């Protein structure tokens, strides 16, 4: 993919993003490179994040040469811009944009927390397993365990 993009003569018209891009950084990248092709490699989390998925849908929404308007608004920032670049996502996972509902995510995390806790290892190992499975820290682990105990 990179070799093909590099083969295009003239100035570089593409930007390579890999590993981790937050929704805010995605918006910045699309805004400042609104006329470029963006190659996202191993950024599966982008289509699992509701805000990032919305930005991607907006940037890819128009067909037949129509303007694709992207809007991103926070308390301190407002981006409203036409995106006429391109987006390529390369991944080892399915690219279907399926956003997990909050209750589904919490149920999944409670199950993982229970499995990590029941593993019988010391606290450091439990937290390491939790982090590896969810990408979340100690407080989230203990929050999920409290929720399990409250439901029991």
């Amino acid at each position: 993919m990179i070799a093909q993009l590099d083969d295009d003569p003239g100035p570089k018209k593409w930007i390579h993003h890999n590993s981790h891009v937050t929704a805010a950084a995605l918006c910045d990248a699309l805004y400042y490179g609104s006329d470029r092709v963006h190659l996202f490699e191993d950024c599966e989390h982008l289509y699992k994040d509701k805000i990032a998925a919305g930005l991607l849908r907006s940037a890819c929404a128009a067909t037949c040469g129509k303007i694709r308007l992207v809007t991103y608004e926070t308390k301190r920032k407002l981006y409203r811009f036409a995106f006429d670049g391109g987006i390529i996502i390369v991944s080892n996972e399915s690219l279907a944009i399926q956003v997990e509902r909050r209750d589904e995510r919490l149920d999944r995390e409670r199950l993982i927390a229970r499995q990590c806790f029941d593993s019988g290892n010391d606290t450091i190992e439990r937290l390491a397993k939790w982090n590896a499975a969810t990408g979340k820290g100690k407080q989230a682990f203990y929050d999920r365990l409290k929720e399990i105990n409250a439901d029991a």
Side-chain angles (χ1 to χ4, degrees):
M1 182 67 60
I2 291 172
Q4 282 186 313
L5 290 169
D6 279 337
D7 280 347
D8 191 16
K12 183 176 174 184
K13 295 190 178 195
W14 66 279
I15 302 169
H16 186 207
H17 310 271
N18 68 353
S19 299
H20 185 76
V21 179
T22 66
L26 171 64
C27 185
D28 279 347
L30 297 178
Y31 178 77
Y32 291 109
S34 64
D35 62 341
R36 297 196 174 188
V37 172
H38 295 265
L39 170 62
F40 294 97
E41 181 181 10
D42 297 326
C43 295
E44 292 87 1
H45 62 280
L46 281 177
Y47 50 90
K48 294 176 184 175
D49 177 294
K50 289 180 183 180
I51 296 169
L55 287 166
L56 290 170
R57 282 192 304 273
S58 294
C60 297
T63 58
C64 301
K66 294 181 181 175
I67 293 175
R68 293 169 281 170
L69 185 64
V70 179
T71 303
Y72 179 84
E73 187 172 351
T74 68
K75 184 177 180 179
R76 295 186 179 97
K77 284 184 177 180
L78 170 62
Y79 288 99
R80 187 168 283 128
F81 60 96
F83 181 78
D84 60 352
I87 294 176
I88 301 170
I89 300 176
V90 180
S91 174
N92 292 329
E93 290 187 23
S94 169
L95 294 179
I97 295 174
Q98 296 178 3
V99 178
E100 185 177 40
R101 291 190 337 249
R102 183 176 187 272
D103 60 328
E104 293 171 334
R105 177 184 52 82
L106 291 174
D107 286 345
R108 179 180 51 79
E109 288 177 1
R110 288 182 195 112
L111 178 62
I112 294 168
R114 169 59 67 196
Q115 291 168 342
C116 293
F117 184 81
D118 289 345
S119 68
N121 299 321
D122 66 14
T123 302
I124 292 172
E125 289 180 52
R126 288 175 176 160
L127 288 171
K129 285 181 180 181
W130 165 257
N131 182 262
T134 65
K136 296 190 176 190
K138 179 168 87 171
Q139 189 59 53
F141 176 66
Y142 287 117
D143 288 346
R144 297 300 85 80
L145 288 177
K146 271 191 222 175
E147 292 162 4
I148 292 168
N149 290 331
D151 290 341

